[in-house]
Amino acid sequence: MEDIDAIAVLQDPVRRRLYEYVVAQGREVGRNEAAEATGVARTLAAHHLDKLADAGLLESGSRRLSGRTGPGAGRPAKVYTRARAERSVSLPARDYRTAAELLAEAAEQAGLDAGLCAAARRRGEALRGSAAPCGDLEEAMEMLAARGYEPHLESDEVPPGGEGAPGTAAPVVRMRNCPFHAVSERFPPLVCGMNLALLEGLLGTDGSVRARMDARPGECCVVVESSKNNGR
């Protein structure tokens, strides 16, 4: 299916709500849960979820949602997650990805990591403009959401020297999406370093939050936390 046809599937408002709900969960979602969350009938939700899977926007599978196994555990239910493939449309046709990959390759070969990070930090500061450094994690999540990072709040163990007793849970903002995913897969040290510097400039380095590297499969390589949790 052409990218433009796949994206056109989201024109239906119910289908769009279902897609956005599944994407926001960051895990497998069953038909009952999706229907209840979006306020539609299960049969209608199933129809639209399958359409999204047919279009390649979602991936589907099956598992027992009860967590039980063996006789009496019930039949596996159909579940959905966001598809790993990217979709984009540009009219007229443009190929910025190839340009980005060529520039990244040249920068890596020339050892321009420090210069790229400095430029990224300046760009982040320019995006922030005259605003003060980010004041708290809630404000950080708003800024990150506006840039397409899909932030969500989790709890990480407090490090030695951090605020709170070691071993207790401290809030940290992780991001389900990396806007530079395609290029970062080919040039991870270069692009992830650039991403960190960009967010340092965007959030500010002298405020109440800080960005740091903490790569995790399927998510952005950068996380944001309170600047007081600094014992890592």
Side-chain angles (χ1 to χ4, degrees), residues 45-112:
H47 168 76
H48 285 305
L49 288 167
D50 285 339
K51 287 289 185 182
L52 290 165
D54 290 342
L57 297 174
L58 296 180
E59 294 179 358
S60 63
S62 61
R63 67 178 178 87
R64 288 187 173 90
L65 298 178
S66 66
R68 295 178 297 173
T69 59
R75 296 175 58 187
K78 200 163 187 179
V79 292
Y80 303 83
T81 56
R82 174 164 53 187
R84 286 163 287 189
E86 295 182 12
R87 301 284 185 175
S88 63
V89 175
S90 177
L91 298 173
R94 297 289 187 263
D95 189 6
Y96 299 114
R97 175 173 172 175
T98 296
E101 289 178 347
L102 288 170
L103 289 168
E105 182 177 356
E108 188 173 74
Q109 291 178 353
L112 300 179

Side-chain angles (χ1 to χ4, degrees), residues 112-130:
L112 300 179
D113 304 55
L116 176 62
C117 287
R121 192 171 289 105
R122 290 194 298 270
R123 174 59 63 91
E125 292 170 349
L127 291 171
R128 177 160 50 91
S130 59

Side-chain angles (χ1 to χ4, degrees), residues 8 25-26 28 31 36 64 67 76 79 83 123 156:
Q25 305 317 301
E28 294 177 329
R31 289 171 167 176
E36 183 176 348
R64 288 187 173 90
V79 292
R123 174 59 63 91
D156 274 9

Side-chain angles (χ1 to χ4, degrees), residues 2-231:
E2 296 291 335
D3 283 1
I4 193 168
D5 295 326
I7 293 173
V9 170
L10 295 172
Q11 184 175 1
D12 183 282
V14 174
R15 202 170 293 162
R16 178 77 172 266
R17 291 205 312 272
L18 286 163
Y19 174 77
E20 290 175 344
Y21 178 78
V22 172
V23 167
Q25 305 317 301
R27 55 173 172 77
E28 294 177 329
V29 174
R31 289 171 167 176
N32 287 340
E33 178 187 346
E36 183 176 348
T38 55
V40 300
R42 183 187 183 282
T43 53
L44 181 61
H47 168 76
H48 285 305
L49 288 167
D50 285 339
K51 287 289 185 182
L52 290 165
D54 290 342
L57 297 174
L58 296 180
E59 294 179 358
S60 63
S62 61
R63 67 178 178 87
R64 288 187 173 90
L65 298 178
S66 66
R68 295 178 297 173
T69 59
R75 296 175 58 187
K78 200 163 187 179
V79 292
Y80 303 83
T81 56
R82 174 164 53 187
R84 286 163 287 189
E86 295 182 12
R87 301 284 185 175
S88 63
V89 175
S90 177
L91 298 173
R94 297 289 187 263
D95 189 6
Y96 299 114
R97 175 173 172 175
T98 296
E101 289 178 347
L102 288 170
L103 289 168
E105 182 177 356
E108 188 173 74
Q109 291 178 353
L112 300 179
D113 304 55
L116 176 62
C117 287
R121 192 171 289 105
R122 290 194 298 270
R123 174 59 63 91
E125 292 170 349
L127 291 171
R128 177 160 50 91
S130 59
C134 192
D136 53 36
L137 292 181
E138 183 177 352
E139 184 181 346
M141 290 182 69
E142 292 178 2
M143 297 174 71
L144 294 167
R147 305 297 305 173
Y149 283 91
E150 299 182 9
H152 63 284
L153 199 62
E154 289 190 6
S155 295
D156 274 9
E157 184 175 305
V158 173
E163 186 180 57
T168 61
V172 61
V173 176
R174 295 187 177 272
M175 295 165 270
R176 292 194 176 99
N177 183 50
C178 172
F180 317 110
H181 174 71
V183 187
S184 69
E185 281 197 316
R186 288 196 58 189
F187 308 96
L190 181 77
V191 178
C192 291
M194 176 200 76
N195 187 26
L196 174 61
L198 177 71
L199 292 181
E200 286 176 341
L202 180 66
L203 301 173
T205 56
D206 53 353
S208 298
V209 302
R210 72 174 190 123
R212 63 176 173 83
M213 202 77 75
D214 188 10
R216 192 163 77 174
E219 294 192 351
C220 178
C221 59
V222 178
V223 300
V224 177
E225 65 183 1
S226 168
S227 57
K228 296 178 182 179
N229 298 329
N230 57 8

